[in-house]
Amino acid sequence: MKADYSTEMRELTETVRAFAAKELSPFADELDREERLAPGIFKRLAELGILGITSAEEYGGAALGAVAVVGVMEELSYADPGTCLSYLAHTLLFAHNLEQNASKEQLARYLPGCITGELVGGMAMTEPGAGSDAVGMVSRAEKVDGGWVLNGTKMFITNGPIGDVFLVYARTGAGRQDLSTFIVERGFKGFAVGKKLSKMGMRSSPTGELIFRDCFVPAENLVGSPGGSVKHMMKNLDIERVGLAAMSLGIARACLDHSLKYANERQQFGADIIGFQAVSEKIANMYIGYRAARALVYEAAQVIDEGRRANQEAAAAKVFASEMATRVGLDAIQVLGGYGYIREFPVERLMRDAKLLEIGGGTSEILRGVIIKEFQRKFSK
């Protein structure tokens, strides 16, 4: 780690925190209610210098690592987790994924536009019948003269309703792992955006269905070699899961701060309610959970930045942090009582946002299995 990394990280997080406090926090409830992103948010995030946070400087990126990703995503999620989710889909699921797996020509064509906010990206893996079992997808691409013809439907795609370009996974052979990756632009013939989905939480992040009916994809938009996409998926999972875990940190910290403020101001029976043991115990546990999760998340990020696989560490961090954030959200509602249950106060929104993080990017149940498989792999050597 660079000697000045702590200073660099502190400056980065303080800059993002100030931006989010001004540009997101005052509008988070409105964006949730209206189920939309803040207008021009990708351009403003680009001006902040974080759209290409892990991308090479030659494409306009910041060339930072997973630790920086964690710092940025915690601060954005403290203000509005939905905006951060769309940022994650653009920055990690598309831009970072592309840079890890694409050719120089493909990077030169798409990455600069993503980093300046001219293009909004996303990734299309999940299908109506294939979620946790990603390699069970049925979308198919057939080789034709000059390219491929893609057919299928993708579901629960973050940035689907607004995206300009997507990394789309499809089956290209008979084997279970014969999957390939394609760069699909919004204007390609045969590509259509289906219905926008109305969600319990993360409502400021647009989510939708993508439909491919004889969609022609030029040969130059195949990423890597045919049938090589399982490796693409695995290569990107660690940083995606660490990013999602970092979002849980932001949510939990926001719930803790709202609970502390309320408990120090609200009086019952002639005393501040923070003096009541039942309330103070909840707040203490919020802090303990947040700090423990933070240690796990930053440890996993450090492993990634050292160039090692963080499969087990990232899975553990995401499970613990996401479940902690949901629990903290529920406890924050309890601390605020009736006020916590109404939309005038943000903790009910934060709790709804938190729940997604136990599902997306690998459910807690699947990730516990990942942890065990890593133990089995290590002990079998």
Side-chain angles (χ1 to χ4, degrees):
M1 184 178 287
K2 295 185 295 183
D4 64 343
Y5 198 74
S6 294
T7 301
E8 183 181 11
M9 270 297 302
R10 187 162 52 249
E11 290 174 353
L12 175 65
T13 54
E14 286 174 356
T15 298
V16 176
R17 182 179 300 176
F19 170 87
K22 180 182 178 182
E23 303 288 342
L24 293 176
S25 288
F27 313 107
D29 289 331
E30 176 186 337
L31 298 174
D32 173 80
R33 187 170 57 252
E34 298 180 1
E35 299 188 57
R36 63 177 177 84
L37 274 171
I41 189 63
F42 279 99
K43 289 287 185 67
R44 282 181 281 161
L45 291 170
E47 291 167 0
L48 204 61
I50 61 172
L51 272 195
I53 189 167
T54 63
S55 298
E57 292 177 351
E58 65 182 288
Y59 301 109
L64 297 174
V67 171
V69 166
V70 170
V72 167
M73 292 196 174
E74 177 175 348
E75 295 305 330
L76 291 177
S77 294
Y78 182 90
D80 180 31
T83 296
C84 188
L85 183 65
S86 279
Y87 168 76
L88 182 148
H90 175 91
T91 303
L92 297 185
L93 302 189
F94 184 83
H96 181 82
N97 193 343
L98 190 74
E99 190 161 12
Q100 292 291 305
N101 299 299
S103 67
K104 288 285 187 181
E105 293 77 16
Q106 290 168 336
L107 295 179
R109 197 169 1 135
Y110 292 105
L111 208 49
C114 288
I115 292 171
T116 61
E118 297 294 325
L119 298 176
V120 174
M123 183 187 75
M125 181 188 295
T126 303
E127 297 184 359
S132 295
D133 180 19
V135 297
M137 66 180 67
V138 297
S139 292
R140 178 169 290 276
E142 302 286 349
K143 191 87 169 67
V144 297
D145 288 343
W148 300 78
V149 172
L150 177 60
N151 282 284
T153 300
K154 299 294 182 178
M155 181 61 82
F156 307 125
I157 308 305
T158 303
N159 294 342
I162 63 166
D164 301 296
V165 60
F166 298 90
L167 284 173
V168 180
Y169 295 94
R171 189 164 298 286
T172 51
R176 180 168 164 79
Q177 296 199 1
D178 285 335
L179 305 176
S180 302
T181 311
F182 301 91
I183 305 169
V184 179
E185 298 178 23
R186 190 180 188 89
F188 282 3
K189 185 178 180 182
F191 172 44
V193 176
K195 63 180 179 181
K196 180 181 176 183
L197 303 173
S198 186
K199 310 186 299 291
M200 168 184 168
M202 301 289 184
R203 289 160 61 89
S204 61
S205 175
T207 304
E209 177 185 40
L210 304 182
I211 301 165
F212 307 92
R213 293 195 181 99
D214 294 330
C215 175
F216 179 75
V217 182
E220 61 267 24
N221 279 38
L222 170 70
V223 178
S225 58
S229 288
V230 173
K231 289 183 180 179
H232 296 186
M233 295 176 186
M234 296 302 107
K235 195 183 290 187
N236 208 57
L237 278 176
D238 291 351
I239 196 166
E240 174 192 353
R241 288 169 177 168
V242 165
L244 291 165
M247 291 181 60
S248 297
L249 297 181
I251 292 171
R253 199 181 90 222
C255 287
L256 172 61
D257 284 353
H258 287 299
S259 298
L260 276 169
K261 184 176 186 298
Y262 183 86
N264 277 292
E265 294 175 351
R266 175 72 166 174
Q267 287 201 336
Q268 292 290 278
F269 308 105
D272 295 337
I273 66 170
I274 198 168
F276 300 141
Q277 185 176 0
V279 174
S280 62
E281 182 181 20
K282 277 185 168 48
I283 293 175
N285 285 338
M286 288 181 197
Y287 177 76
I288 293 166
Y290 165 72
R291 295 297 300 186
R294 197 170 189 271
L296 274 174
V297 175
Y298 273 96
E299 179 193 21
Q302 180 73 49
V303 171
I304 293 170
D305 283 348
E306 290 171 359
R308 297 186 283 132
R309 271 305 307 269
N311 197 21
Q312 195 172 47
E313 293 90 345
K318 182 180 177 296
V319 170
F320 188 85
S322 62
E323 293 181 355
M324 176 276 303
T326 300
R327 185 170 61 250
V328 166
L330 288 168
D331 282 347
I333 291 172
Q334 196 70 19
V335 168
L336 271 68
Y339 290 105
Y341 196 68
I342 63 174
R343 293 196 170 183
E344 184 178 343
F345 286 74
V347 291
E348 64 85 28
R349 168 176 55 80
L350 291 165
M351 183 277 293
R352 288 188 284 108
D353 288 346
K355 185 60 186 174
L356 174 72
L357 299 170
E358 296 181 57
I359 301 169
T363 65
S364 292
E365 293 78 10
I366 290 293
L367 294 185
R368 283 184 167 90
V370 168
I371 292 167
I372 294 301
K373 284 180 181 176
E374 280 296 301
F375 279 130
Q376 290 173 321
R377 184 182 63 80
K378 291 169 185 175
F379 279 104
S380 67
K381 289 183 176 179

